[in-house]
Amino acid sequence: MPNNLLRRRWFLQGVAVSPTWLPFRSQSNAKPPPPPHPSRDELAGAFEEWEDMVPFENEDFRRFDESNDKLFYDEPKLVEHIDKAGVSALTRFHETELQNIAQGLGKSSTQDLDVLDLCSSWVSHLGSARPRKVVGLGMNMEELQANPVLTERIVADLNASPKLDLPDSSFDAVLCQLSIDYLIKPIDVAAEAFRVLRPGGVFVVTFSNRLFFQKAVAVWTGKSDLDHIETVGAFMHYSDAPIKSIHAFDLIPNVIKTGGDPLYAVVGTKS
């Protein structure tokens, strides 16, 4: 077990640890070195091998703040959770991905697509793409009502119940933006995402390393970007859904030079 995860588990279980082990604790006023950035080869090989057994334990999905999530999300958060470059990259990726999905499914344009936006909020980052249906499922109705692209709004807590009250094979794309690190049952959520997808549809999970630390699950915190990529791929793989392929994308490959927020996508295609 990696030391950082072991230390996190000890902290959650009430074991005293050195302050130097606590996340984000700086040893000096010096600027820390940039985090390791995955190479193209690492991205390409992220999902080549899988363990026979699910590599997660219940402790991996514990959080510092285990209070009711409804309390945390009761106040609307009408802000972006990544920087401007990240927002632009996310929007461009969704535009391109939805166009590719429409083409791959033999549809004339993105206007023929049905999209489910999980953990939705006041913005879905679809850019010029205008699907005929965009269902937003989130924790706060005020945030959902502020989102102009949504055609339907559902308030639901996926941590309370990952089951989606939606019919099988009813969407061409399911999105989960900047929220996978807060889900305590992500494998179940992935299974549900693939269940509601039509054959050939895609589950698109995007993430950075910014987060509300108190609500992030233990398996996420203190990990590298490549660890995050592999973890999201594992959530999909171990869902036992009929998956044709899983691919990873680096949406801001020059982030080390620019100094902004990293941004990645893991895309699973349903058989």
Side-chain angles (χ1 to χ4, degrees):
M1 180 188 303
N3 286 337
N4 53 13
L5 180 55
L6 180 61
R7 293 193 290 267
R8 170 65 187 264
R9 288 180 176 170
W10 285 349
F11 190 94
L12 287 168
Q13 293 165 7
V15 179
V17 295
S18 165
T20 60
W21 280 5
L22 296 181
F24 308 131
R25 181 66 177 244
S26 174
Q27 297 297 309
S28 70
N29 292 325
K31 185 177 180 180
H37 197 72
S39 66
R40 289 184 179 180
D41 289 342
E42 287 175 322
L43 287 177
F47 311 126
E48 289 183 348
E49 297 181 1
W50 302 105
E51 297 180 33
D52 293 334
M53 302 294 292
V54 177
F56 304 114
E57 302 175 11
N58 290 338
E59 293 156 343
D60 293 327
F61 300 105
R62 294 185 65 187
R63 301 165 295 172
F64 281 123
D65 180 0
E66 293 284 10
S67 63
N68 192 320
D69 290 331
K70 290 183 180 180
L71 300 176
F72 184 80
Y73 294 102
D74 185 56
E75 288 293 324
K77 299 174 176 60
L78 304 178
V79 296
E80 293 284 7
H81 298 292
I82 49 177
D83 60 22
K84 290 183 179 180
V87 170
S88 295
L90 178 58
T91 302
R92 289 194 304 270
F93 182 76
H94 280 159
E95 285 179 326
T96 301
E97 191 66 18
L98 290 175
Q99 290 169 1
N100 291 339
I101 294 167
Q103 185 176 24
L105 294 176
K107 299 180 182 291
S108 60
S109 72
T110 60
Q111 295 180 6
D112 297 322
L113 295 178
D114 298 319
V115 175
L116 172 62
D117 187 9
L118 293 179
C119 306
S120 186
S121 182
W122 66 284
V123 59
S124 293
H125 304 106
L126 301 186
S128 62
R130 287 292 180 268
R132 65 186 173 194
K133 180 169 73 172
V134 183
V135 177
L137 185 150
M139 291 284 291
N140 186 288
M141 180 54 79
E142 187 173 337
E143 292 181 2
L144 297 176
Q145 288 176 334
N147 190 330
V149 305
L150 299 182
T151 59
E152 182 179 345
R153 296 163 177 84
I154 303 171
V155 173
D157 182 356
L158 293 177
N159 283 342
S161 173
K163 180 69 175 178
L164 300 176
D165 188 18
L166 296 165
D168 296 353
S169 304
S170 51
F171 293 93
D172 303 301
V174 176
L175 311 179
C176 183
Q177 308 173 49
L178 310 173
S179 298
I180 193 71
D181 41 331
Y182 305 125
L183 297 179
I184 63 175
K185 299 177 182 178
I187 295 177
D188 294 338
V189 172
E192 282 293 282
F194 283 106
R195 178 185 65 81
V196 302
L197 279 172
R198 298 180 178 118
V202 299
F203 182 26
V204 181
V205 179
T206 48
F207 49 91
S208 182
N209 60 8
R210 278 199 181 190
L211 43 76
F212 296 113
F213 189 80
Q214 65 270 39
K215 282 297 185 181
V217 293
V219 74
W220 195 267
T221 59
K223 296 295 192 69
S224 71
D225 292 347
L226 183 58
D227 289 332
H228 292 159
I229 291 165
E230 293 173 341
T231 297
V232 175
F235 293 160
M236 295 185 186
H237 175 79
Y238 292 104
S239 71
D240 290 330
I243 300 174
K244 178 181 178 181
S245 63
I246 303 175
H247 296 288
F249 301 87
D250 182 354
L251 305 191
I252 311 180
N254 64 337
V255 69
I256 295 297
K257 294 181 179 180
T258 62
D261 295 332
L263 188 65
Y264 303 94
V266 174
V267 178
T269 303
K270 185 173 181 178
S271 300

